[in-house]
Amino acid sequence: MLLILLSLIISTASASAQNSTRYRAINNGAFRKNRYLSATRNYTSENKVKDWWSSNEVPAVNPVILVPGIFGSQLDGLWNKTTAPHYFCFKTSGDWTTLWLSFESMVPKVIDCWVDNMLLNFTDNTFRDRDGMQTRVNDFGGTGGIECLDKNCYYPYFKAMVDRIAAIPGYVRGVNLRAAPYDYRYGANSPVGRIYLKNLRTLIEETYTANGNQKVNLVAHSMGNLYLIEFFKGVSKSWKSKYISKYIAISGVFGGSVKSLRALVSGEVESIPRVFVNANSVRSFQRTFQSIYWLLPKKQLWSNDEILVYAPDKNYTVNEFADLLEDSGYPDGRAILKTLDGSQGLEDPGVDVYCVHGADIPTAAQFRWKPGYFPDYQPVQIDGLGDGTVNQRSLEVCTTFSRMRDHQVYPGIKHGEHMQILLNPDVIQYVIDVITETARGVEDNMVF
C-alpha cells in the first residue's frame, strides 16, 4: 500500500519543489500557511450521538464502525525537537500539523524531515515517539480520519463506502456510522495498541447504548483485521453476543504478507523513481514500525523448508526472520520480533464473519538479492498469487473461522486489488447488503 501511495504522492508533489529556498517554507509536513490546525475536538464523542438522537428518532438500523488498515488513518503531529536532519527542517511545529497524509512533505529532500518525525524509538522493549514528538489520530469516533488519507481528500480511502452507507435512510456520519482510526505504526500488543483496544471497546459500547441498544457491525480492511482479531481475544463470549452483530473482513492480512520482508531488509519503494526517494531512508523508518513486523508471514501458513528470501550467502525461511534482520544490519529486529509473542492473528474471532478479498493477482512470494545487492539494494521479486499485497493463503485464513457466514472473492486487479477493492461498487453493495441484512449468507453452515 505504501509504495503505491508514495509513488503517486511524489510524482504530484515533486513539481512543487523548485529549489532549496522553497524547502524553508515547508513545515516538516505541510506549508505553514496551509498547516492543519485542530479547530474541533479530536474525538467524536457519545455526547454528540446522544444530542443527535435527543431531537431525532432512533432508526431501526445496526450501527457501523469502520477499522482501517496500515497507513489508513490520518495522523497529526506536534513537535519541539532539538535536532533535525536538514537545516530546512523545522524543529518546532507550533501547533498540531498533518503528518499523514501530507503531499508537501513527500518532495525530494523534504521527505527526510517527514521520516524523522515518523520514526519510533525502540527502548526497553517498548516503542514510543521520538523525543519531542507527539502524535494523534484524527477524528476517532467520526469518519473524517479514514474517508480520505489527506485532509483535502485528494486520496480517498473509505470515502466511497462511507458515502454509500450514509445515503441509506437512518445512517448518519459520526452517529451510527463511525470509525476507529489508530496509529498504524504500532502493533496491538504495544502500550499504544492496548490503549486503542480499550478505546475501541468503549466506542462500541457507547455506540450500542446511544443507538437504542442496536448491535454493532464491524467492517475492517487489511491490518485492521489483525487489530480486530486481537480485540476479540480480549472480550468474553457474552460481550460479543450482546454488542456485535456482524464482522465484515475485507482483504484481511491474517497470516501476514511476504512483501513486508522487503520493507524491513531494503525498504519498500517499488515503483518509485530513485531520483525522488532513497530506499535506505524509507527503510530507516519502516524498521522502527512494530506493525511491519506484525505483518511478516506466519509460521502456521509457511512451511519450514519454504524459502522466502534468497541472499548471496544464505537463504531464509519463516523460522529465520531474526537472523535475516541481523544479517541485513538491524540487530534490534531480533528483540522487536519478541514483542509480538502471542499476537499471531490466526485466532477465531467467535462472531459472525463475512469475508471479502481479491484473488489471482501477482503478489510477492519470494525475494532474491543478487551478489552485492543485499541488503542495501532492491531484490528481484518472484510472484505467486494474492491480491497484489497479501498472499492468497493469508487472505483465506478467514475460511477457517467457525462462524464464517459468507465468503466473497473478487479476482483480478480491477476488482480485487488490495486497495482497489474498497472502490469496487460490487463490494460496497455487498457490505451494504450485509449490514442491512439483505445479503444471502451461508446460514445452512452455521456453527456455534
Side-chain angles (χ1 to χ4, degrees):
M1 175 177 176
L2 176 62
L3 65 92
I4 298 171
L5 293 175
L6 286 180
S7 61
L8 290 173
I9 294 162
I10 291 171
S11 63
T12 301
S14 60
S16 67
Q18 300 297 324
N19 50 57
S20 61
T21 59
R22 179 72 177 264
Y23 298 152
R24 287 293 296 176
I26 299 176
N27 186 27
N28 292 17
F31 290 108
R32 281 191 179 275
K33 63 181 180 180
N34 293 328
R35 185 176 61 207
Y36 171 70
L37 303 180
S38 179
T40 60
R41 296 181 60 181
N42 205 45
Y43 173 62
T44 301
S45 68
E46 182 184 15
N47 289 333
K48 175 182 176 180
V49 182
K50 288 181 176 178
D51 290 344
W52 174 269
W53 293 134
S54 67
S55 56
N56 295 273
E57 183 178 352
V58 179
V61 296
N62 291 101
V64 175
I65 295 177
L66 306 169
V67 182
I70 190 170
F71 292 100
S73 303
Q74 293 178 9
L75 291 183
D76 298 331
L78 177 67
W79 61 91
N80 184 13
K81 304 186 299 182
T82 59
T83 62
H86 300 300
Y87 75 92
F88 49 78
C89 299
F90 284 87
K91 296 178 183 178
T92 302
S93 64
D95 212 318
W96 287 101
T97 301
T98 302
L99 285 179
W100 182 261
L101 174 62
S102 167
F103 288 81
E104 294 91 344
S105 64
M106 299 296 165
V107 298
K109 301 294 184 181
V110 178
I111 195 173
D112 297 337
C113 311
W114 174 75
V115 166
D116 191 62
N117 286 336
M118 291 288 287
L119 286 167
L120 292 177
N121 281 336
F122 178 67
T123 55
D124 300 325
N125 291 320
T126 301
F127 293 87
R128 57 178 59 87
D129 278 319
R130 304 286 297 277
D131 291 341
M133 280 294 305
Q134 299 179 58
T135 53
R136 70 179 187 188
V137 298
N138 184 40
D139 197 21
F140 184 89
T143 59
I146 59 101
E147 287 192 47
C148 301
L149 300 184
D150 64 292
K151 294 190 172 74
N152 291 318
C153 208
Y154 293 127
Y155 200 99
Y157 180 39
F158 262 103
K159 182 170 174 53
M161 186 176 294
V162 171
D163 284 346
R164 286 287 308 281
I165 296 175
I168 300 172
Y171 280 105
V172 181
R173 282 177 168 89
V175 177
N176 54 8
L177 175 53
R178 315 187 75 181
Y182 55 89
D183 191 332
Y184 48 74
R185 298 174 299 170
Y186 299 90
N189 64 348
S190 68
V192 171
R194 287 193 290 270
I195 291 173
Y196 170 77
L197 295 181
K198 181 179 179 180
N199 291 339
L200 177 60
R201 175 170 179 159
T202 299
L203 179 65
I204 293 171
E205 292 174 350
E206 284 182 1
T207 303
Y208 167 90
T209 301
N211 286 278
N213 295 343
Q214 296 278 0
K215 291 185 178 182
V216 176
N217 291 305
L218 297 175
V219 181
H221 177 245
S222 190
M223 193 176 77
N225 290 284
L226 288 186
Y227 262 97
L228 283 188
I229 292 297
E230 288 300 307
F231 174 75
F232 286 132
K233 285 167 55 178
V235 293
S236 67
K237 182 178 179 180
S238 61
W239 187 95
K240 298 174 193 176
S241 178
K242 178 178 180 179
Y243 290 104
I244 303 301
S245 176
K246 303 176 187 69
Y247 161 34
I248 304 175
I250 303 175
S251 304
V253 59
F254 297 106
S257 170
V258 171
K259 185 174 283 190
S260 59
L261 289 164
R262 179 171 54 200
L264 295 174
V265 175
S266 299
E268 182 59 41
V269 293
E270 183 186 51
S271 302
I272 303 174
R274 300 298 183 266
V275 69
F276 292 139
V277 61
N278 182 287
N280 293 336
S281 295
V282 174
R283 178 182 64 183
S284 67
F285 83 83
Q286 290 175 334
R287 282 178 168 179
T288 72
F289 285 17
Q290 186 192 28
S291 55
I292 302 291
Y293 299 81
W294 199 20
L295 297 177
L296 287 170
K298 301 293 190 292
K299 294 180 180 179
Q300 296 95 319
L301 299 185
W302 274 265
S303 65
N304 295 334
D305 57 358
E306 193 171 0
I307 297 174
L308 299 178
V309 169
Y310 292 85
D313 298 322
K314 185 178 178 180
N315 299 328
Y316 302 86
T317 69
V318 72
N319 294 312
E320 296 159 319
F321 290 156
D323 292 341
L324 172 63
L325 292 165
E326 189 163 329
D327 294 344
S328 62
Y330 195 64
D332 283 351
R334 186 178 295 274
I336 292 175
L337 287 173
K338 292 180 180 179
T339 69
L340 298 172
D341 289 347
S343 180
Q344 294 302 321
L346 300 181
E347 293 84 353
D348 194 309
V351 297
D352 289 351
V353 178
Y354 293 76
C355 188
V356 183
H357 60 79
D360 301 335
I361 302 171
T363 303
Q366 296 174 324
F367 293 111
R368 293 177 182 265
W369 273 266
K370 299 177 182 178
Y373 277 60
F374 181 87
D376 295 328
Y377 299 93
Q378 293 294 294
V380 175
Q381 176 176 310
I382 297 93
D383 287 331
L385 294 179
D387 70 359
T389 296
V390 182
N391 307 92
Q392 203 77 30
R393 67 184 84 179
S394 180
L395 294 165
E396 293 175 350
V397 166
C398 63
T399 64
T400 68
F401 296 155
S402 62
R403 290 175 59 176
M404 193 189 77
R405 297 292 174 259
D406 199 14
H407 182 209
Q408 296 288 320
V409 180
Y410 296 84
I413 293 176
K414 182 178 180 180
H415 304 289
E417 189 273 328
H418 192 70
M419 292 295 292
Q420 188 70 24
I421 197 168
L422 291 179
L423 302 175
N424 185 336
D426 292 337
V427 172
I428 295 174
Q429 186 59 54
Y430 177 75
V431 170
I432 289 173
D433 289 344
V434 172
I435 66 175
T436 58
E437 299 185 340
T438 58
R440 184 167 63 93
V442 287
E443 304 299 327
D444 53 331
N445 292 327
M446 281 189 175
V447 179
F448 293 94

